[in-house]
Amino acid sequence: MNNRFSILFYPKKKGKSKNGRISIYLRITVNGKRCEISINRKIDPTKWNSISGKLNGNSEEAYQLNKYINSISSKLYKIQETFVIEDKPFTALMIKNKFLNKEDTRKTILQIFTEHNNQIETLVGKSYSSGCYKRYVRTSNHLQCYIQKEYSVNDIFIQDIDLKFINGFEYYLKIKDIGNQNTITKYLTNLKKITRIAYANDWISKDPFFHWKAKWKIVERDFLSELDVQKMIKKEFNIPRLDLVKDIFVFSCFTGLAYVDVQKLSQNDIVVGIDGERWIKTKRKKTNTRSNIPILPTAEAILNKYTKHVDIIDSERVLPVLSNQKMNAYLKEIADLCGINKNLTFHLARHTFATTVTLTNGVPIESVSKMLGHKSLKTTQHYAKIIDRKVSDDMKVLRNKFQIKKDINNIV
């Protein structure tokens, strides 16, 4: 955005004094928006030259006034030049305030975003995960690129964020092909948080996202069937690394723990529960919410298998987890060897726990949500697909009810 800047000195006819003299005003205009200020000088309007913006004649009054007007003009152009050199957005009001030595409190969108991200960074590991912080940084970076491309400046004022800007940013993200619809919506909701901060602090007078609605696309989450899980459990590997990765993946299938939570799982996270059995009680690294999970026999057997592993003996950890990259790479190999025709990733184990291991076997969704450490039951519903077997069981109950009614009617 090339800021169009101009200044104009003119006599204001209103407020004429008793001797017929009128005040001279300065008008500053930037991109069609203007503000005015009196220069505290009065003149005889018949001597004013509207074309030059000066007082006619060679009198001492004309000399002093025109000299004063020139000094004001010079100062204003220097102020405008400073903004241009620093590549900062500016308005007519900002130039006026700078001229009057008044502090301007207007904030820019990227300035607020940077302040927000700096705060988030200091809270990583406490209130926020590193992944959350990185998503906000990516959003800020995409936003800066959009502003530079669309407006030819490095930043814009938070007051200039409106629905047109928001829709333009969404379109920019789509044509850049930076992710699917849900990824784009996450970036926009991150921006929405920043504008809500501005609104809450009275930096803007209205919420630019008021008429915006998030567009989420329902994602079909894959998981392993009971047959797939049994194939993996029964499959024996002579290669230690594959056997290790298989065991840790299966452990996650029977606990619902995400990769990062399995990796950090320690002896302190395993306690005796209210039922006298061993439980995993840990906080999810992603959300800092607590997961309470009874340890099923399959998961218990895997824990026992690795108690004397070389990487575990002198460690608080309970499983020798490899890097996420290696785990996912080896899982592809395991899937081929087990004849599982699915894109096997470690996170698939969490989906499998929610569906095949728990919901399919009649565990209430409220209990599943508690074990997964979800803050909302709605989140669990995204993971917990009701598979054909559960639907079949539910329909059998309904079918039996109709059959009983039919038999009664036949008897009558």
Side-chain angles (χ1 to χ4, degrees):
M1 181 188 295
N2 295 317
N3 291 307
R4 299 183 300 277
F5 169 73
S6 65
I7 57 177
L8 174 69
F9 294 91
Y10 69 98
K12 205 165 190 176
K13 294 180 181 180
K14 291 183 179 180
K16 185 183 293 187
S17 62
K18 291 181 180 180
N19 59 4
R21 295 170 73 84
I22 58 178
S23 296
I24 298 296
Y25 272 74
L26 161 67
R27 177 184 295 160
I28 305 170
T29 306
V30 176
N31 295 326
K33 295 182 179 180
R34 61 195 188 187
C35 63
E36 297 176 343
I37 179 177
S38 170
I39 67 170
N40 298 316
R41 298 289 189 277
K42 290 188 176 183
I43 55 135
D44 177 354
T46 62
K47 297 181 180 180
W48 182 257
N49 188 325
S50 59
I51 296 176
S52 65
K54 302 279 181 67
L55 198 62
N56 288 326
N58 297 316
S59 65
E60 181 65 19
E61 179 191 18
Y63 173 78
Q64 292 297 336
L65 178 61
N66 293 338
K67 181 181 178 182
Y68 182 54
I69 288 174
N70 286 337
S71 68
I72 292 174
S73 298
S74 177
K75 185 174 182 180
L76 289 171
Y77 279 110
K78 284 182 179 179
I79 292 171
Q80 183 256 356
E81 184 182 10
T82 300
F83 281 114
V84 172
I85 291 173
E86 294 178 355
D87 200 17
K88 291 181 178 179
F90 61 89
T91 64
L93 181 61
M94 287 181 66
I95 290 181
K96 172 186 171 180
N97 287 337
K98 195 77 173 176
F99 173 74
L100 297 174
N101 293 318
K102 290 183 178 179
E103 183 181 357
D104 192 271
T105 57
R106 293 182 52 151
K107 286 180 173 285
T108 61
I109 182 64
L110 293 177
Q111 176 190 356
I112 302 171
F113 225 132
T114 300
E115 291 170 358
H116 167 270
N117 290 353
N118 289 341
Q119 290 179 350
I120 297 295
E121 186 178 17
T122 62
L123 295 173
V124 169
K126 299 175 183 177
S127 303
Y128 297 90
S129 67
S130 59
C132 177
Y133 165 69
K134 289 176 183 177
R135 281 193 295 275
Y136 276 113
V137 171
R138 286 197 297 271
T139 304
S140 179
N141 291 340
H142 287 310
L143 188 63
Q144 183 175 26
C145 291
Y146 166 65
I147 292 171
Q148 289 174 338
K149 179 181 182 299
E150 192 67 23
Y151 299 94
S152 301
V153 293
N154 285 333
D155 204 352
I156 64 173
F157 292 107
I158 186 66
Q159 290 88 344
D160 294 330
I161 304 295
D162 54 16
L163 188 59
K164 181 181 177 182
F165 178 93
I166 295 165
N167 290 334
F169 183 43
E170 182 175 11
Y171 177 73
Y172 168 81
L173 293 173
K174 287 180 178 179
I175 61 174
K176 281 294 181 181
D177 196 25
I178 57 91
N180 58 30
Q181 180 60 48
N182 288 350
T183 300
I184 290 171
T185 301
K186 285 178 183 177
Y187 285 135
L188 289 165
T189 53
N190 286 346
L191 173 60
K192 181 180 179 180
K193 181 184 178 183
I194 303 304
T195 61
R196 290 181 70 180
I197 291 172
Y199 183 66
N201 283 280
D202 292 325
W203 297 332
I204 52 177
S205 58
K206 60 181 181 180
D207 179 7
F209 276 86
F210 183 78
H211 294 291
W212 179 83
K213 187 175 181 180
K215 305 179 187 74
W216 297 105
K217 184 177 180 181
I218 297 175
V219 178
E220 294 295 325
R221 300 185 184 275
D222 207 354
F223 58 93
L224 296 186
S225 66
E226 185 176 351
L227 179 61
D228 291 332
V229 174
Q230 289 304 317
K231 277 184 183 179
M232 190 173 290
I233 292 174
K234 292 177 180 178
K235 182 70 176 179
E236 295 183 2
F237 295 102
N238 295 323
I239 304 174
R241 60 178 172 82
L242 295 183
D243 192 53
L244 170 64
V245 171
K246 179 200 78 170
D247 286 341
I248 295 173
F249 179 84
V250 171
F251 177 82
S252 182
C253 286
F254 283 86
T255 59
L257 292 174
Y259 166 80
V260 68
D261 297 316
V262 176
Q263 185 186 46
K264 73 178 183 66
L265 194 65
S266 72
Q267 294 290 347
N268 294 329
D269 297 320
I270 299 177
V271 300
V272 176
I274 193 172
D275 55 1
E277 303 289 343
R278 295 221 301 170
W279 286 51
I280 292 172
K281 292 194 175 185
T282 184
K283 282 190 174 181
R284 292 190 64 201
K285 190 168 183 180
K286 180 179 179 181
T287 59
N288 203 37
T289 53
R290 182 163 288 281
S291 291
N292 298 324
I293 311 158
I295 302 177
L296 296 172
T298 303
E300 187 72 73
I302 293 171
L303 288 176
N304 293 335
K305 180 177 177 179
Y306 290 94
T307 53
K308 295 184 180 180
H309 191 279
V310 64
D311 294 331
I312 296 301
I313 293 176
D314 296 322
S315 171
E316 285 294 320
R317 295 187 304 147
V318 295
L319 289 171
V321 182
L322 305 180
S323 70
N324 195 26
Q325 184 179 10
K326 286 184 178 180
M327 293 287 289
N328 285 323
Y330 296 154
L331 281 171
K332 302 292 187 293
E333 193 174 345
I334 290 170
D336 291 337
L337 294 172
C338 291
I340 298 173
N341 297 318
K342 290 180 180 176
N343 181 27
L344 205 58
T345 63
F346 196 88
H347 203 65
L348 205 68
R350 188 165 166 83
H351 304 323
T352 301
F353 175 78
T355 53
T356 307
V357 174
T358 55
L359 279 180
T360 304
N361 289 302
V363 178
I365 193 169
E366 293 81 5
S367 298
V368 177
S369 183
K370 183 80 172 176
M371 288 186 284
L372 290 174
H374 286 160
K375 292 181 178 179
S376 167
L377 196 63
K378 187 177 180 181
T379 306
T380 312
Q381 290 169 339
H382 287 296
Y383 280 90
K385 294 179 65 175
I386 307 300
I387 57 178
D388 291 344
R389 175 178 161 184
K390 184 70 168 62
V391 173
S392 176
D393 290 344
D394 292 340
M395 290 305 292
K396 280 179 183 178
V397 175
L398 181 61
R399 190 179 290 111
N400 289 336
K401 287 182 179 180
F402 279 114
Q403 185 62 44
I404 291 171
K405 288 182 180 180
K406 182 180 178 181
D407 292 343
I408 292 173
N409 290 334
N410 288 339
I411 292 172
V412 174

